Amino acid sequence: MAQSSSSSNIGDYYRDYFEKAQKCLDQLRERLPETRILTAQGALAEQESYFVAAQIFNTRLQFNPLAIVLVSNTDEVAVTYKTAIANQIPVRVRGGGHDHEGDSTGTNVVLIDLSQIDHVLIDKAAGIARIGAGNRFNKLTTDLANEDVMIAHGTCATVCVSGYTFGGGWGPWTRKMGMNCEHLKGATIVLGDGSVAELDEGPDGQVPELLWALRGGGGMSYGIVTELRLQTFPLPKELIKFELEWNPYNPEHTVPACDHPTLQVLQAWERAICSAETSKLIGTNLKINGIPYREPFHYQTVCHNCVMYGYFEGNRAELDAFVLWAFGSLPPTLTIDGEGGTDPKIGYGERLMSSWDRESFADVVQDMSLEQGVPIPPDLDAPAPHKITSRLVNADGLGDKGYEQLLRSLTSPLIFPGNRGLGLFTYVTLGAIAGDYYRAHPLGNSAFPYRDRRYTIQYQAWWNTEACYRELFQNSPVYDYVNRALDWIETARQFDIPGTSGAFISFKDSAVPTGVYFDKNYERLQDIKRQYARDPNNHLRSRKTIL
């Protein structure tokens, strides 16, 4: 039987691809140390190293790059990039691998892994830190704290500083210091033609267009950054990382108590972040766990488990006074998670990095007394399958209808009472933007478009975060409910919530149109990409880059 023309064309395509791929690999091995190049070829041990390195933070997604190149400096980035595009092989760039949609990698691509570019050099006189683009926060924040300085870092220890900053950089310092992108003073970048450029803010505060774009305009669009130059600030004398909880779950983790209506907790938290009298609350997040829908639904009285996470600049007595002032009529359970500052600064990354974006199945197992006496491994920074979407609350707030719709979205027939006991979590985290920094700097000088919003709303679904359930693979009972949890995310994305708009690129959802993430700055960012990135064929691309 004669071979069809379509199958012949497909065969020709793959023959052409594999010829180019092999040529690309041969050239990379000529130009870089062999140990820096991981592929699925070779002995079993080599393949194992490759597949471990190929895994990203969102284990719901799996990609198989042609090669993972562990670059150690700017020259190696440029060599790797130019070799790949010369052979027409797509490129991806990975710092920490926390891109929630997996855009930091791909199948049949050359993956440039920046994790070994992790230098930290601090100019104490100028207050500038030169930071390698592969630095993760657990190491970086400790290095900085040991020099009595800090940057506006994020909430997860294994997140990388580069992608975090280019997406804006929300975290536990945002109320006081703003987004980390506001403090990006310079960068070393490999452009789309493989050339290297140094971008620096001028002495008069003038910001080159390409540097402005890196301040919150998304990652990879404009080049491959190998070093960030960030303005630091003095580490405060006293810091407390704390939690406040309302409506705790019962021991089976199926039904939260109803001590205080969620609306009252949310409104008290909003008053705290919008007040000019709460400067010591330097950053905060409010987590509201979703619950199953039950009739009748009244948004004024419905109760969800709520946890406020905060960074407080002061001592315990001052924290207690703040809690009484803000939540005196809604007494919460207070937990101190860590204390630090210029005195107990050693190990900042381990002591004070927060875990605000994750529910911990290890904690649930421990609370349910399922593993009495057995040490529970931490899972808050471990890779796990998940899905996320987002929006932001406008400057004038939600209003009655907005409150009703937000709480209705968190009270859903797609959420089941037994989910938490299986390690399936569905909730929102509300990240405060309103505070001293953007009150004093309402215009800013960055590409981050949402500095006038009160806070972010990040819808999240996570599952199988505990080792004993991961080891069950396909036999885990959690999969009876995962599809409904993903349906809940899809529903939440489309939910009509007056008083909200936009979306935050660090909480990436591939179904959200790219322009929504960059809002009023989208056209300017497109112009900057065309004029300065030297990338006419858009080699610097992924699903949500500027094209």
Side-chain angles (χ1 to χ4, degrees), residues 24-44:
C24 180
L25 288 174
D26 290 343
Q27 292 176 355
L28 286 172
R29 288 168 177 143
E30 290 172 0
R31 298 165 183 173
L32 298 170
E34 179 78 22
T35 55
R36 302 268 179 81
I37 304 166
L38 305 179
T39 72
Q41 304 170 353
L44 184 60

PDB file of all heavy atoms in Angstrom, residues 24-44:
ATOM      1  N   CYS A  24      22.839  20.109  17.071  1.00  0.00           N
ATOM      2  CA  CYS A  24      22.841  21.044  18.198  1.00  0.00           C
ATOM      3  C   CYS A  24      23.545  20.430  19.404  1.00  0.00           C
ATOM      4  O   CYS A  24      24.391  21.081  20.034  1.00  0.00           O
ATOM      5  CB  CYS A  24      21.407  21.427  18.553  1.00  0.00           C
ATOM      6  SG  CYS A  24      21.253  22.572  19.938  1.00  0.00           S
ATOM      7  N   LEU A  25      23.238  19.181  19.716  1.00  0.00           N
ATOM      8  CA  LEU A  25      23.872  18.511  20.854  1.00  0.00           C
ATOM      9  C   LEU A  25      25.372  18.370  20.640  1.00  0.00           C
ATOM     10  O   LEU A  25      26.167  18.591  21.574  1.00  0.00           O
ATOM     11  CB  LEU A  25      23.236  17.143  21.073  1.00  0.00           C
ATOM     12  CG  LEU A  25      21.810  17.133  21.646  1.00  0.00           C
ATOM     13  CD1 LEU A  25      21.265  15.710  21.678  1.00  0.00           C
ATOM     14  CD2 LEU A  25      21.782  17.750  23.036  1.00  0.00           C
ATOM     15  N   ASP A  26      25.768  17.999  19.443  1.00  0.00           N
ATOM     16  CA  ASP A  26      27.199  17.849  19.149  1.00  0.00           C
ATOM     17  C   ASP A  26      27.924  19.171  19.361  1.00  0.00           C
ATOM     18  O   ASP A  26      29.026  19.206  19.944  1.00  0.00           O
ATOM     19  CB  ASP A  26      27.398  17.365  17.710  1.00  0.00           C
ATOM     20  CG  ASP A  26      26.940  15.928  17.511  1.00  0.00           C
ATOM     21  OD1 ASP A  26      26.779  15.200  18.513  1.00  0.00           O
ATOM     22  OD2 ASP A  26      26.722  15.529  16.338  1.00  0.00           O
ATOM     23  N   GLN A  27      27.323  20.258  18.912  1.00  0.00           N
ATOM     24  CA  GLN A  27      27.972  21.568  19.050  1.00  0.00           C
ATOM     25  C   GLN A  27      28.013  22.020  20.513  1.00  0.00           C
ATOM     26  O   GLN A  27      29.009  22.609  20.964  1.00  0.00           O
ATOM     27  CB  GLN A  27      27.240  22.601  18.189  1.00  0.00           C
ATOM     28  CG  GLN A  27      27.408  22.350  16.693  1.00  0.00           C
ATOM     29  CD  GLN A  27      26.595  23.315  15.841  1.00  0.00           C
ATOM     30  OE1 GLN A  27      25.826  24.123  16.352  1.00  0.00           O
ATOM     31  NE2 GLN A  27      26.772  23.220  14.526  1.00  0.00           N
ATOM     32  N   LEU A  28      26.949  21.751  21.252  1.00  0.00           N
ATOM     33  CA  LEU A  28      26.959  22.103  22.674  1.00  0.00           C
ATOM     34  C   LEU A  28      28.070  21.346  23.408  1.00  0.00           C
ATOM     35  O   LEU A  28      28.762  21.916  24.270  1.00  0.00           O
ATOM     36  CB  LEU A  28      25.600  21.779  23.308  1.00  0.00           C
ATOM     37  CG  LEU A  28      24.449  22.723  22.969  1.00  0.00           C
ATOM     38  CD1 LEU A  28      23.118  22.177  23.502  1.00  0.00           C
ATOM     39  CD2 LEU A  28      24.697  24.119  23.542  1.00  0.00           C
ATOM     40  N   ARG A  29      28.259  20.071  23.068  1.00  0.00           N
ATOM     41  CA  ARG A  29      29.294  19.275  23.728  1.00  0.00           C
ATOM     42  C   ARG A  29      30.690  19.737  23.349  1.00  0.00           C
ATOM     43  O   ARG A  29      31.642  19.564  24.111  1.00  0.00           O
ATOM     44  CB  ARG A  29      29.094  17.799  23.385  1.00  0.00           C
ATOM     45  CG  ARG A  29      27.877  17.194  24.087  1.00  0.00           C
ATOM     46  CD  ARG A  29      27.503  15.847  23.554  1.00  0.00           C
ATOM     47  NE  ARG A  29      26.389  15.272  24.302  1.00  0.00           N
ATOM     48  CZ  ARG A  29      25.420  14.551  23.769  1.00  0.00           C
ATOM     49  NH1 ARG A  29      25.415  14.306  22.453  1.00  0.00           N
ATOM     50  NH2 ARG A  29      24.446  14.081  24.520  1.00  0.00           N
ATOM     51  N   GLU A  30      30.825  20.336  22.180  1.00  0.00           N
ATOM     52  CA  GLU A  30      32.111  20.889  21.779  1.00  0.00           C
ATOM     53  C   GLU A  30      32.415  22.183  22.535  1.00  0.00           C
ATOM     54  O   GLU A  30      33.584  22.489  22.809  1.00  0.00           O
ATOM     55  CB  GLU A  30      32.112  21.192  20.270  1.00  0.00           C
ATOM     56  CG  GLU A  30      32.097  19.954  19.384  1.00  0.00           C
ATOM     57  CD  GLU A  30      31.908  20.321  17.921  1.00  0.00           C
ATOM     58  OE1 GLU A  30      31.787  21.534  17.618  1.00  0.00           O
ATOM     59  OE2 GLU A  30      31.864  19.407  17.069  1.00  0.00           O
ATOM     60  N   ARG A  31      31.374  22.924  22.871  1.00  0.00           N
ATOM     61  CA  ARG A  31      31.553  24.280  23.391  1.00  0.00           C
ATOM     62  C   ARG A  31      31.417  24.393  24.907  1.00  0.00           C
ATOM     63  O   ARG A  31      31.807  25.421  25.488  1.00  0.00           O
ATOM     64  CB  ARG A  31      30.537  25.215  22.714  1.00  0.00           C
ATOM     65  CG  ARG A  31      30.754  25.285  21.203  1.00  0.00           C
ATOM     66  CD  ARG A  31      29.584  25.893  20.466  1.00  0.00           C
ATOM     67  NE  ARG A  31      29.827  25.875  19.027  1.00  0.00           N
ATOM     68  CZ  ARG A  31      28.929  26.216  18.097  1.00  0.00           C
ATOM     69  NH1 ARG A  31      27.723  26.618  18.476  1.00  0.00           N
ATOM     70  NH2 ARG A  31      29.248  26.161  16.816  1.00  0.00           N
ATOM     71  N   LEU A  32      30.861  23.366  25.555  1.00  0.00           N
ATOM     72  CA  LEU A  32      30.631  23.407  26.994  1.00  0.00           C
ATOM     73  C   LEU A  32      31.098  22.111  27.635  1.00  0.00           C
ATOM     74  O   LEU A  32      31.160  21.067  26.958  1.00  0.00           O
ATOM     75  CB  LEU A  32      29.134  23.607  27.293  1.00  0.00           C
ATOM     76  CG  LEU A  32      28.486  24.895  26.801  1.00  0.00           C
ATOM     77  CD1 LEU A  32      26.974  24.812  26.972  1.00  0.00           C
ATOM     78  CD2 LEU A  32      29.036  26.095  27.566  1.00  0.00           C
ATOM     79  N   PRO A  33      31.414  22.127  28.933  1.00  0.00           N
ATOM     80  CA  PRO A  33      31.777  20.877  29.600  1.00  0.00           C
ATOM     81  C   PRO A  33      30.641  19.849  29.501  1.00  0.00           C
ATOM     82  O   PRO A  33      29.466  20.182  29.677  1.00  0.00           O
ATOM     83  CB  PRO A  33      32.005  21.314  31.051  1.00  0.00           C
ATOM     84  CG  PRO A  33      32.335  22.773  30.966  1.00  0.00           C
ATOM     85  CD  PRO A  33      31.526  23.298  29.826  1.00  0.00           C
ATOM     86  N   GLU A  34      31.015  18.608  29.234  1.00  0.00           N
ATOM     87  CA  GLU A  34      30.036  17.531  29.054  1.00  0.00           C
ATOM     88  C   GLU A  34      29.109  17.395  30.261  1.00  0.00           C
ATOM     89  O   GLU A  34      27.914  17.104  30.121  1.00  0.00           O
ATOM     90  CB  GLU A  34      30.778  16.211  28.820  1.00  0.00           C
ATOM     91  CG  GLU A  34      29.891  14.990  28.647  1.00  0.00           C
ATOM     92  CD  GLU A  34      29.271  14.903  27.261  1.00  0.00           C
ATOM     93  OE1 GLU A  34      29.831  15.511  26.326  1.00  0.00           O
ATOM     94  OE2 GLU A  34      28.237  14.227  27.121  1.00  0.00           O
ATOM     95  N   THR A  35      29.647  17.618  31.461  1.00  0.00           N
ATOM     96  CA  THR A  35      28.857  17.414  32.672  1.00  0.00           C
ATOM     97  C   THR A  35      27.743  18.448  32.828  1.00  0.00           C
ATOM     98  O   THR A  35      26.845  18.270  33.647  1.00  0.00           O
ATOM     99  CB  THR A  35      29.750  17.467  33.916  1.00  0.00           C
ATOM    100  OG1 THR A  35      30.484  18.705  33.908  1.00  0.00           O
ATOM    101  CG2 THR A  35      30.714  16.292  33.930  1.00  0.00           C
ATOM    102  N   ARG A  36      27.793  19.528  32.061  1.00  0.00           N
ATOM    103  CA  ARG A  36      26.769  20.567  32.148  1.00  0.00           C
ATOM    104  C   ARG A  36      25.561  20.266  31.273  1.00  0.00           C
ATOM    105  O   ARG A  36      24.576  20.994  31.303  1.00  0.00           O
ATOM    106  CB  ARG A  36      27.357  21.912  31.708  1.00  0.00           C
ATOM    107  CG  ARG A  36      28.551  22.356  32.496  1.00  0.00           C
ATOM    108  CD  ARG A  36      28.138  23.243  33.674  1.00  0.00           C
ATOM    109  NE  ARG A  36      29.317  23.645  34.422  1.00  0.00           N
ATOM    110  CZ  ARG A  36      30.113  24.640  34.054  1.00  0.00           C
ATOM    111  NH1 ARG A  36      29.845  25.325  32.969  1.00  0.00           N
ATOM    112  NH2 ARG A  36      31.171  24.937  34.788  1.00  0.00           N
ATOM    113  N   ILE A  37      25.641  19.208  30.465  1.00  0.00           N
ATOM    114  CA  ILE A  37      24.595  18.938  29.483  1.00  0.00           C
ATOM    115  C   ILE A  37      23.909  17.624  29.844  1.00  0.00           C
ATOM    116  O   ILE A  37      24.513  16.552  29.776  1.00  0.00           O
ATOM    117  CB  ILE A  37      25.180  18.871  28.057  1.00  0.00           C
ATOM    118  CG1 ILE A  37      25.921  20.158  27.727  1.00  0.00           C
ATOM    119  CG2 ILE A  37      24.069  18.615  27.038  1.00  0.00           C
ATOM    120  CD1 ILE A  37      26.797  20.067  26.501  1.00  0.00           C
ATOM    121  N   LEU A  38      22.645  17.693  30.226  1.00  0.00           N
ATOM    122  CA  LEU A  38      21.874  16.513  30.603  1.00  0.00           C
ATOM    123  C   LEU A  38      20.901  16.159  29.483  1.00  0.00           C
ATOM    124  O   LEU A  38      20.176  17.022  28.981  1.00  0.00           O
ATOM    125  CB  LEU A  38      21.087  16.771  31.889  1.00  0.00           C
ATOM    126  CG  LEU A  38      21.879  17.241  33.114  1.00  0.00           C
ATOM    127  CD1 LEU A  38      20.937  17.468  34.289  1.00  0.00           C
ATOM    128  CD2 LEU A  38      22.966  16.239  33.469  1.00  0.00           C
ATOM    129  N   THR A  39      20.905  14.881  29.101  1.00  0.00           N
ATOM    130  CA  THR A  39      19.962  14.398  28.094  1.00  0.00           C
ATOM    131  C   THR A  39      19.416  13.053  28.539  1.00  0.00           C
ATOM    132  O   THR A  39      19.892  12.449  29.496  1.00  0.00           O
ATOM    133  CB  THR A  39      20.633  14.230  26.720  1.00  0.00           C
ATOM    134  OG1 THR A  39      21.518  13.095  26.750  1.00  0.00           O
ATOM    135  CG2 THR A  39      21.412  15.472  26.314  1.00  0.00           C
ATOM    136  N   ALA A  40      18.406  12.584  27.822  1.00  0.00           N
ATOM    137  CA  ALA A  40      17.816  11.280  28.122  1.00  0.00           C
ATOM    138  C   ALA A  40      18.622  10.144  27.514  1.00  0.00           C
ATOM    139  O   ALA A  40      18.215   8.973  27.593  1.00  0.00           O
ATOM    140  CB  ALA A  40      16.374  11.227  27.609  1.00  0.00           C
ATOM    141  N   GLN A  41      19.742  10.460  26.918  1.00  0.00           N
ATOM    142  CA  GLN A  41      20.607   9.444  26.323  1.00  0.00           C
ATOM    143  C   GLN A  41      21.584   8.901  27.363  1.00  0.00           C
ATOM    144  O   GLN A  41      21.670   9.410  28.468  1.00  0.00           O
ATOM    145  CB  GLN A  41      21.383  10.038  25.143  1.00  0.00           C
ATOM    146  CG  GLN A  41      20.504  10.654  24.067  1.00  0.00           C
ATOM    147  CD  GLN A  41      21.324  11.434  23.048  1.00  0.00           C
ATOM    148  OE1 GLN A  41      22.522  11.625  23.207  1.00  0.00           O
ATOM    149  NE2 GLN A  41      20.661  11.893  21.998  1.00  0.00           N
ATOM    150  N   GLY A  42      22.311   7.867  27.011  1.00  0.00           N
ATOM    151  CA  GLY A  42      23.384   7.370  27.859  1.00  0.00           C
ATOM    152  C   GLY A  42      22.947   6.290  28.831  1.00  0.00           C
ATOM    153  O   GLY A  42      21.867   5.702  28.714  1.00  0.00           O
ATOM    154  N   ALA A  43      23.797   6.051  29.828  1.00  0.00           N
ATOM    155  CA  ALA A  43      23.554   4.999  30.811  1.00  0.00           C
ATOM    156  C   ALA A  43      22.352   5.347  31.686  1.00  0.00           C
ATOM    157  O   ALA A  43      21.899   6.495  31.741  1.00  0.00           O
ATOM    158  CB  ALA A  43      24.794   4.802  31.682  1.00  0.00           C
ATOM    159  N   LEU A  44      21.845   4.336  32.396  1.00  0.00           N
ATOM    160  CA  LEU A  44      20.654   4.513  33.209  1.00  0.00           C
ATOM    161  C   LEU A  44      20.833   5.619  34.245  1.00  0.00           C
ATOM    162  O   LEU A  44      19.930   6.428  34.471  1.00  0.00           O
ATOM    163  CB  LEU A  44      20.296   3.193  33.904  1.00  0.00           C
ATOM    164  CG  LEU A  44      19.001   3.193  34.723  1.00  0.00           C
ATOM    165  CD1 LEU A  44      17.808   3.523  33.830  1.00  0.00           C
ATOM    166  CD2 LEU A  44      18.808   1.840  35.399  1.00  0.00           C
TER     167      LEU A  44
END
